[in-house]
Amino acid sequence: MTVPGTAKRYVLPTIGSYKNLITENIQIPKPKASEVLVKVHAVSLQYRDLIIASGQYPVAPSGGLVPCSDMAGQVVAVGEDVKRWKVGDRVCANFATDHLHGDPNPETQSTSLGGQSPGVLTEYRTFPALSLLSIPEHLSYVEASTLPCAALTAYNALYGARPIKAGDHVLILGTGGVSIFGLQFAVASGATVIATSSSDEKLKVAAKLGAKHVINYKKNPKWDEEVLRITKGVGVDHVIEVGGPGTMPQSINSTRMGGYIHLIGFVAQEPQETNLVQLIMKAVSIRGIQIGSVAQFVDMNKMIEASPETTRPVVDKVFPFEKAVSAYEHLESQTHVGKVVIQVAN
């Protein structure tokens, strides 16, 4: 496979807005002995990409950052010590390239793409061979690009410390990328899903994907009481919590005694006071989720391959590489359901 000498990539010369994004030409590097050179075909966006660009991310990146963490592409060259991969293989890279198994730590966190280390919004990039995973055969590059962050975060939440089981009740907040994958994985596991959104149209999509109960939290601001009514006063076993300080009190109220709240995001910016006494009395466990490891990614792909239609990624809109700023704008509008993807190569 012929590899050109140069390629284009996006960078944020200054932090402050995604509208600062510019393209630059680079020399395509040759892979080191344990590395793989990948032609990037598709990149999916996360809420994290917005707050990194705006300077609101907890770990402040420096200017000149190549953004984005999630990609799918094709191997075009391998280092001399690489045995597992060959030219032509379709791959994704793990969100943190050094997080191979177990819990995250400061060392693995420092290899998080598009934040603590250079990202993937580029035509070509080298990766450590151990950070790569095969794409499920039935998925396109566009679909597979949604897996490393959104899908693996949802999988880690539901199958990490306390694995979900058939018959559980799962509360899904919102209809963004992580939430939709959480819904799909819960349905594939035989759980009963309760989904919330501010949009009836988005809730129709959630119901089509298998949510048994849907709640419009704009029309029903006491949505936690509705969750308790649905569960006959017991509460849910798991909550996919993406609101953070603005929704945590109601999530706690929605959870059964001994249940689990998987804290993933903080998109609800108006904080409410959390009742710590209630948290103790209900013995609720709150677990912060930092994506997942390569080992978990392998297990997740097995699940996706076992339930190909139930777990097929929901892609809201695809933008060409030249319209990356427009893709960010669409993500910021919050009109999407599922994932927003940038197609880097045809």
Side-chain angles (χ1 to χ4, degrees), residues 186-309:
V187 169
S189 302
T192 298
V193 173
I194 305 169
T196 72
S197 175
S198 62
S199 163
D200 287 340
E201 290 304 310
K202 291 181 179 181
L203 289 174
K204 288 179 182 178
V205 176
K208 187 176 180 179
L209 292 171
K212 189 172 182 179
H213 306 278
V214 295
I215 304 170
N216 186 317
Y217 63 79
K218 287 290 187 183
K219 295 179 179 179
N220 191 350
K222 295 183 178 180
W223 49 267
D224 51 329
E225 295 180 3
E226 179 64 11
V227 171
L228 290 175
R229 186 194 66 79
I230 291 168
T231 58
K232 298 179 181 178
V234 174
V236 298
D237 300 277
H238 296 269
V239 181
I240 298 295
E241 169 56 87
V242 298
T247 52
M248 183 59 74
Q250 287 177 282
S251 288
I252 294 171
N253 198 41
S254 300
T255 307
R256 68 164 173 83
M257 288 190 68
Y260 281 75
I261 296 175
H262 309 286
L263 182 56
I264 293 159
F266 42 90
V267 299
Q269 294 293 335
E270 296 182 8
Q272 300 181 44
E273 185 177 353
T274 298
N275 187 334
L276 296 181
V277 174
Q278 183 190 31
L279 185 63
I280 295 168
M281 296 303 294
K282 295 189 74 172
V284 170
S285 297
I286 299 177
R287 177 172 174 249
I289 307 295
Q290 273 203 22
I291 324 301
S293 66
V294 170
Q296 287 176 310
F297 207 145
V298 171
D299 290 340
M300 180 187 72
N301 279 349
K302 291 177 182 177
M303 179 185 184
I304 290 172
E305 290 168 337
S307 305
E309 293 309 315

Side-chain angles (χ1 to χ4, degrees), residues 178-189:
V178 174
S179 299
I180 289 295
F181 273 117
L183 189 166
Q184 291 176 294
F185 292 161
V187 169
S189 302

Side-chain angles (χ1 to χ4, degrees), residues 1 9 28 36 53 74 85 98 136 143 152 176 209 246 281 304 306 325 340:
M1 185 175 293
R9 70 180 184 186
I28 297 176
V36 173
Q74 187 176 35
W85 304 108
D98 286 2
E143 291 171 323
L152 190 55
L209 292 171
M281 296 303 294
I304 290 172
V325 172
V340 179

